[in-house]
Every structure is written in C-alpha cells, then in structure tokens.
Amino acid sequence: MKKKKNCCVTLLQLTSVMALGGCVGMMAMQPVAYAETVQYGPELEGFMYPYPVAQYSFSSQRQGLHMTYMDVQPQTPNGRTAVLLHGKNFCAATWQQTIKVLVNAGFRVVAPDQIGFCKSSKPERYQFSFQQLARNTHDLLASIGVSNPVLIGHSTGGMLAVRYALMYPDQTAQLVLVDPIGLEDWKAKGVPSLSVDQWYARELATTADTIRTYEKQTYYAGEWRPEYEQWVQMLAGMYRGAGKQTVAWNSALLYDMIYTQPVVYEFGKISVPTTVMIGAKDNTAIGKAAAPPEVQKQLGHYPELGKAAANAIPHARLILFPDLGHSPQIQDPVSFHKALLKTLSPEQ
C-alpha cells in the first residue's frame, strides 16, 4: 500500500481559484468559474482531492485493482471512525465539508472511492454487486486497522451501507443513510429494463449541461449556486477526456447493478442502530426517464419512502429536511451537519 502526497491542493479550474486551505483546516467555499473544456483522466487524474489520498491495492476476480481513499486523522480523537460512502454521481471528494466537520468532532474519517468510480480502478470486466463492493470496503478498512466503523452512506452509498451492515453486523457500530436510493424496487414498479449496452449509449451522451440540469432538479430542489459547479465539472471532465469510453462503460455496469439489486426487501434484517436522513424534495429514481408517464408519477416520493424505510428498519430514526433535495450535505451543510452530529452523539 502506497500513499500519494497531495495535501493542501486546489481543485482544478482555469479562470479562478477556490482555496481549500490546510489539510485539516479551512475549506472556504468560494464561487468558481470553470472552463467547459477541462479534461480529466479515466481515474479522475488532474482533479485534486481536499486531503491526501492513498491506494489500497488488491486482487479481485482474477485482476489487480486499487481503491483510492482519504484517511483523515483528528487532532483530538474520540476513538471512533466514520466511513463515508459516496453516491453514483459522486466521489469521495464531494464529502469534503462532512470530513471537516467530523474530524473537528474527533472522528477519524475514511472516505473511499469504490471500484468503478472516480480515482479507483475501472475494470473492463467486473461482476459488480453490492456484496462485492462491501467486501472490497471491508478489506480496505481491515488493512488500515478499522473494525467497527460508523457507516454514513449517501445515495447509492446508502444501498452499499445497508449491504455492508447486513454482511458485517458485528463490525458496524452505526448506520446513517442519507437520501439512500433503493428505497423502492423500480423494476417491480414498472421501470423497464435497460441493457448494459443501452446504459452505455446513454452514458456516452453525458455532458456538463445534462449533469447540471439533472442535479439542479434532483439534488438541489430546483436551485443552483456557483459552488455546485465544481461537482458538475468533476464528472463532466472525465467524459471529455481520452478515457471517456472506460468511464461510460463502468457507469453502465454500475447502473445495471443498482437497478437489479434492490435492498428494500431486507430492511427488516438490519440489526445495527440506524438513522435515515431524507431531503423531502428528493425525487431520485433509477431509470425513471425510460418509464411511461403513469409509472414516473409513482416513483421517487422520498417523504413517503423515507418514512416506510424507517418503519421497516428495527428501531430506526427518521430525520426529514423539508426544503432540501437529494444532497442535503451539500445544499445545506449547516443544518445537515448539526443533525448528523446529534445523531452520532453517544447520548442518542
């Protein structure tokens, strides 16, 4: 295992600079103007993360792979570790504000990029499953001495966190699900199946405009702020680069995994303390655009889905953010992190 030193770096842009400050210090969010021509490599080469990154190298399915992760240590440890699991259109870097808050509260924070995502390996052939991603994550954590973490999973990371807690209940201290997808079975509700080739064609058509439009409608409840643009360009830059086909192919394989492997039927088996945090204006549903209008109307009703999930998970708590969308940790970090720290308090 070897570490890359890129501490105290800046996110790449061509027309202005957004300072991220010290490695465990200030991360001031400044409006940034981004060039629409910036290109990143298939493993997000050229896009710098807010903390030092390291690599976990391992063998899986007859090939060598690596997972990139940030492992941020607090100055005053509380003895607990939080593992942040990113969503489908997110990376470990998008947790930057949450990392800062948790580290300041005494948590050691580990934020990995899953295989197929961001700075981690993007294999040409891989049997993607939430079980496999959970094993990869478990083995990564074991390699750095983490055995009983708090899992905080957002979006697709919520599905992964559920699977991890089901597979390793005695090695999961707490579960926090932030606008998790998989709260409904889209296939059973009438969303038509798309082949991996169809997903691939869709992904090849990805642009900054398509990303921005979708994120505005779904992640941020119809609003847009300049600070959101860095995450648009993070994704769009990979689709402009020479590795576009590799990025799109892995994304297609991952969409097929998400569509075909619902976790909603197993909520009753979760045995660890769980909190479900929901932005009430979230409307995420995988494959919704391909569904007939009458089916689309039935999908992505997150206030109801969140309540049903909290009722199905034994002794779970539900926290609802009435005015927020799919990404409450980015849209309203102050309110979100206040609720998160309360949830993680030993008194809860």
Side-chain angles (χ1 to χ4, degrees):
M1 182 177 65
K2 53 184 179 180
K3 294 188 177 183
K4 296 181 180 178
K5 296 181 180 179
N6 67 337
C7 185
C8 305
V9 296
T10 59
L11 299 180
L12 180 63
Q13 61 275 309
L14 301 181
T15 54
S16 62
V17 176
M18 181 180 74
L20 287 180
C23 293
V24 192
M26 297 187 304
M27 291 188 205
M29 297 296 292
Q30 301 293 334
V32 179
Y34 287 83
E36 289 286 342
T37 57
V38 64
Q39 297 183 14
Y40 301 124
E43 292 185 7
L44 204 51
E45 295 92 340
F47 185 95
M48 298 300 169
Y49 276 21
Y51 297 93
V53 297
Q55 305 289 351
Y56 170 63
S57 298
F58 62 105
S59 178
S60 177
Q61 300 183 23
R62 301 178 65 184
Q63 58 191 312
L65 301 173
H66 67 88
M67 287 176 68
T68 297
Y69 65 97
M70 292 177 283
D71 184 358
V72 188
Q73 303 282 347
Q75 292 184 351
T76 307
N78 63 13
R80 305 169 72 190
T81 299
V83 175
L84 305 180
L85 302 175
H86 62 76
K88 170 63 181 66
N89 296 319
F90 300 81
C91 297
T94 56
W95 285 113
Q96 63 177 22
Q97 295 182 82
T98 304
I99 295 173
K100 177 185 176 183
V101 168
L102 291 175
V103 168
N104 286 343
F107 287 87
R108 176 185 181 183
V109 179
V110 179
D113 283 336
Q114 296 298 322
I115 295 299
F117 293 87
C118 308
K119 288 186 176 293
S120 291
S121 297
K122 294 181 177 61
E124 182 68 20
R125 295 288 183 266
Y126 200 63
Q127 182 62 49
F128 277 104
S129 69
F130 284 109
Q131 287 89 343
Q132 181 69 68
L133 298 187
R135 289 189 187 99
N136 296 347
T137 304
H138 180 267
D139 291 347
L140 160 63
L141 296 176
S143 76
I144 57 175
V146 175
S147 61
N148 195 37
V150 174
L151 295 181
I152 303 173
H154 171 238
S155 191
T156 299
M159 293 182 78
L160 174 56
V162 168
R163 181 57 59 202
Y164 190 107
L166 290 169
M167 292 174 65
Y168 307 106
D170 296 332
Q171 300 176 55
T172 305
Q174 190 174 351
L175 195 59
V176 180
L177 306 177
V178 183
D179 283 84
I181 61 174
L183 300 184
E184 56 189 338
D185 185 340
W186 307 290
K187 179 173 60 175
K189 286 192 170 183
V191 174
S193 172
L194 296 178
S195 69
V196 173
D197 292 323
Q198 287 174 308
W199 279 116
Y200 178 56
R202 284 170 173 252
E203 290 301 284
L204 284 175
T206 298
T207 67
D209 286 340
T210 62
I211 295 169
R212 190 182 301 108
T213 298
Y214 177 75
E215 291 191 356
K216 179 178 180 180
Q217 294 172 348
T218 303
Y219 295 178
Y220 308 119
E223 70 172 23
W224 192 256
R225 299 176 190 161
E227 58 262 35
Y228 302 157
E229 187 67 19
Q230 61 179 314
W231 309 127
V232 172
Q233 298 303 328
M234 177 187 69
L235 298 176
M238 288 191 290
Y239 284 93
R240 297 189 193 104
K244 172 180 180 178
Q245 288 78 14
T246 297
V247 173
W249 180 247
N250 272 254
S251 184
L253 295 173
L254 289 160
Y255 270 124
D256 185 70
M257 173 190 75
I258 295 166
Y259 174 82
T260 58
Q261 299 178 29
V263 295
V264 63
Y265 303 113
E266 298 173 81
F267 285 164
K269 299 178 182 178
I270 296 174
S271 59
V272 303
T274 301
T275 300
V276 182
M277 306 177 78
I278 296 292
K281 294 188 177 181
D282 191 356
N283 56 19
T284 305
I286 297 300
K288 182 165 66 173
E294 62 274 15
V295 173
Q296 293 186 28
K297 294 177 182 177
Q298 302 173 29
L299 304 173
H301 300 297
Y302 264 71
E304 292 82 3
L305 292 171
K307 182 177 180 179
N311 287 336
I313 299 170
H315 311 297
R317 298 174 62 243
L318 174 65
I319 298 175
L320 196 67
F321 301 102
D323 299 318
L324 303 184
H326 187 62
S327 302
Q329 74 277 25
I330 299 175
Q331 188 180 4
D332 187 355
V334 173
S335 296
F336 173 80
H337 292 123
K338 180 180 179 180
L340 178 63
L341 290 178
K342 183 177 180 180
T343 293
L344 299 180
S345 171
E347 286 74 30
Q348 291 297 312

